[in-house]
Amino acid sequence: MESESESGAAADTPPLETLSFHGDEEIIEVVELDPGPPDPADDLAQEMEDVDFEEEEEEEGNEEGWVLEPQEGVVGSMEGPDDSEVTFALHSASVFCVSLDPKTNTLAVTGGEDDKAFVWRLSDGELLFECAGHKDSVTCAGFSHDSTLVATGDMSGLLKVWQVDTKEEVWSFEAGDLEWMEWHPRAPVLLAGTADGNTWMWKVPNGDCKTFQGPNCPATCGRVLPDGESSSRKRAVVGYEDGTIRIWDLKQGNSIHVLKGTEGHQGPLTCVATNQDGSLILTGSVDCQAKLVSATTGKVVGVFRPETVASQPNLGEGEESESNSVESLGFCSVMPLAAVGYLDGTLAIYDLSTQTLRHQCQHQSGIVQLLWEAGTAVVYTCSLDGIVRLWDARTGRLLTDYRGHTAEILDFALSKDASLVVTTSGDHKAKVFCVQRPDR
């Protein structure tokens, strides 16, 4: 096992560090904890040191935009019934991302290939305001923990934050090419990963900044750990293109654990998820593996591989393996189950207690994202065939599906009470579906 702990100070400029996991065989049970009273909003922000940095010169954006290539395996014609209740149609190109306001679940923010982002009302699709000023495809968007702020980020690395009630821009920053962006779950603190390997953290709107320097390759995915009340640490897990995984101490600015070599992945990371108390981490990669990691010790405590890859026949000379990768994953909040979605359309449900495959659910085309419904064992998936599906993870049975898009779904979000699913698509539209299940 090639694992190390590194400690380094937060840099004054875009430097970063590394993390590693060490786990413990006993941490397999998924426990739903009482979140308790929220931390003061400025708790983490007060720990951040003021940093002087030179803003990099703005690079010229790609005026041609980002055009999605046709996807193999996508059903040719998606014309058919439209099950949606509301359609938002102000985007003029593919809509890449969506997020719902966490406080009331009445607003959505969407971003697209048209270099635009909009905040709109779920009930009727009414536009509240446009998040103007982007000059490249908007690939990240999200509301702060209290729904007072909304952030948008484009591929060139321009991030903007808006006050929702006044509809005014209150902060902006130009980082490197953007890979991911996420708000801290309890504070007005924004995190982002960029193609130069840096993870950035800002207090918004005053702009206090820290950077965490990873390897010299893109920081492809990241997630703030929802630390339990017993933990005073504020941590984040970040995955990188070279297959390494790092857990960062956000207050101290150093990496707590680093997973690399055989402990890391053998290809770029694509996604990362945590369980409710932040004790377990699940990472996914283009190497088709999902790794279960103890956030406390940094050790790998489980590795999940799709059976379809293990049983793939030997290929003859000149033949190429069908591309497959882990695209999305997540933990069930009420049972010791994890779901992993693959590009080949496989949804795998794993039992964490026994680390065995429980169910394998097949889609007609690649899975883009999956989400667990809170408080149940129901998994939602969206895929390249433009369909949202609901699966019972206990039985592996398809409960229902929702149709209406005429192109691939690129992102989706689920309301807290699981009554609404909001999707974005290559058909230039976002749609709101009302979820009706007889078993609820």
Side-chain angles (χ1 to χ4, degrees):
M1 166 175 173
E2 190 180 351
S3 167
E4 59 179 282
S5 290
E6 299 183 10
S7 70
D12 290 336
T13 52
L16 265 164
E17 293 246 18
T18 25
L19 14 124
S20 88
F21 300 87
H22 309 279
D24 146 344
E25 299 290 341
E26 298 177 359
I27 310 186
I28 298 299
E29 184 178 353
V30 178
V31 180
E32 184 173 8
L33 295 184
D34 181 354
D39 291 351
D42 288 333
D43 177 49
L44 172 62
Q46 289 174 355
E47 297 292 333
M48 296 175 58
E49 299 175 1
D50 290 335
V51 176
D52 294 325
F53 54 84
E54 296 181 3
E55 293 191 20
E56 298 178 1
E57 293 183 5
E58 291 187 18
E59 298 181 0
E60 293 184 7
N62 176 11
E63 294 180 359
E64 296 179 358
W66 179 22
V67 178
L68 285 179
E69 296 296 328
Q71 298 284 347
E72 292 185 7
V74 178
V75 179
S77 174
M78 300 186 196
E79 299 291 345
D82 187 352
D83 302 320
S84 65
E85 299 293 325
V86 174
T87 298
F88 181 80
L90 287 187
H91 286 281
S92 59
S94 294
V95 190
F96 290 139
C97 56
V98 61
S99 180
L100 308 186
D101 84 279
K103 204 77 171 177
T104 66
N105 276 196
T106 59
L107 303 178
V109 57
T110 51
E113 188 187 9
D114 54 5
D115 307 347
K116 294 182 180 299
F118 299 105
V119 175
W120 49 279
R121 205 161 50 206
L122 292 178
S123 60
D124 55 7
E126 183 74 21
L127 175 68
L128 265 67
F129 62 94
E130 178 181 347
C131 304
H134 286 288
K135 297 179 181 178
D136 206 340
S137 297
V138 178
T139 54
C140 300
F143 291 90
S144 61
H145 70 292
D146 57 3
S147 297
T148 61
L149 302 171
V150 63
T152 54
D154 66 35
M155 288 181 67
S156 72
L158 176 62
L159 296 103
K160 291 176 172 288
V161 174
W162 313 76
Q163 186 85 27
V164 174
D165 58 357
T166 64
K167 308 177 184 179
E168 294 179 353
E169 181 181 327
V170 294
W171 178 84
S172 67
F173 186 84
E174 183 80 26
D177 291 351
L178 187 64
E179 296 283 334
W180 59 272
M181 180 191 79
E182 179 175 283
W183 283 98
H184 189 279
R186 295 186 180 183
V189 171
L190 189 65
L191 287 87
T194 49
D196 57 9
N198 284 342
T199 298
W200 301 74
M201 183 170 72
W202 302 274
K203 181 182 176 183
V204 179
N206 74 10
D208 290 349
C209 178
K210 275 187 180 181
T211 56
F212 307 85
Q213 185 174 15
N216 190 25
C217 65
T220 53
C221 54
R223 181 63 54 91
V224 178
L225 294 183
D227 293 325
E229 282 189 77
S230 60
S231 173
S232 60
R233 276 178 169 171
K234 305 298 177 191
R235 301 170 297 166
V237 55
V238 180
Y240 298 87
E241 190 180 68
D242 64 357
T244 60
I245 308 158
R246 289 163 167 79
I247 298 180
W248 293 96
D249 185 318
L250 297 178
K251 285 187 176 182
Q252 301 301 321
N254 63 287
S255 59
I256 307 167
H257 301 297
V258 180
L259 281 180
K260 60 184 182 180
T262 57
E263 291 295 295
H265 285 277
Q266 304 309 303
L269 272 85
T270 55
C271 48
V272 63
T274 69
N275 66 341
Q276 281 197 315
D277 65 359
S279 62
L280 286 175
I281 296 166
L282 202 54
T283 60
S285 166
V286 299
D287 66 7
C288 287
Q289 294 187 359
K291 295 202 171 189
L292 184 66
V293 177
S294 164
T296 305
T297 64
K299 290 180 180 175
V300 175
V301 296
V303 180
F304 304 110
R305 300 176 180 89
E307 292 185 350
T308 51
V309 170
S311 61
Q312 193 173 47
N314 293 330
L315 299 170
E317 187 176 349
E319 289 184 282
E320 291 186 3
S321 170
E322 278 192 32
S323 61
N324 194 18
S325 63
V326 175
E327 294 296 307
S328 186
L329 35 70
F331 291 89
C332 177
S333 63
V334 295
M335 296 177 70
L337 301 175
V340 181
Y342 296 90
L343 184 59
D344 71 355
T346 301
L347 170 66
I349 307 295
Y350 294 102
D351 188 318
L352 297 179
S353 302
T354 58
Q355 297 200 11
T356 56
L357 179 66
R358 185 159 175 168
H359 300 291
Q360 195 162 279
C361 313
Q362 206 60 42
H363 296 64
Q364 292 182 352
S365 58
I367 295 173
V368 175
Q369 191 181 346
L370 66 83
L371 294 169
W372 285 92
E373 180 180 317
T376 74
V378 175
V379 185
Y380 293 62
T381 58
C382 64
S383 55
L384 294 174
D385 59 10
I387 301 172
V388 175
R389 294 176 174 86
L390 279 63
W391 304 86
D392 186 339
R394 298 166 300 181
T395 63
R397 184 172 64 92
L398 176 65
L399 295 173
T400 187
D401 60 38
Y402 293 95
R403 303 163 188 255
H405 284 292
T406 57
E408 68 277 13
I409 295 177
L410 300 173
D411 193 16
F412 78 151
L414 181 63
S415 63
K416 285 185 294 187
D417 63 0
S419 63
L420 298 176
V421 176
V422 187
T423 55
T424 63
S425 171
D427 64 10
H428 308 177
K429 294 178 174 59
K431 286 181 175 290
V432 181
F433 297 88
C434 290
V435 178
Q436 297 176 344
R437 287 219 323 272
D439 57 319
R440 256 207 318 240

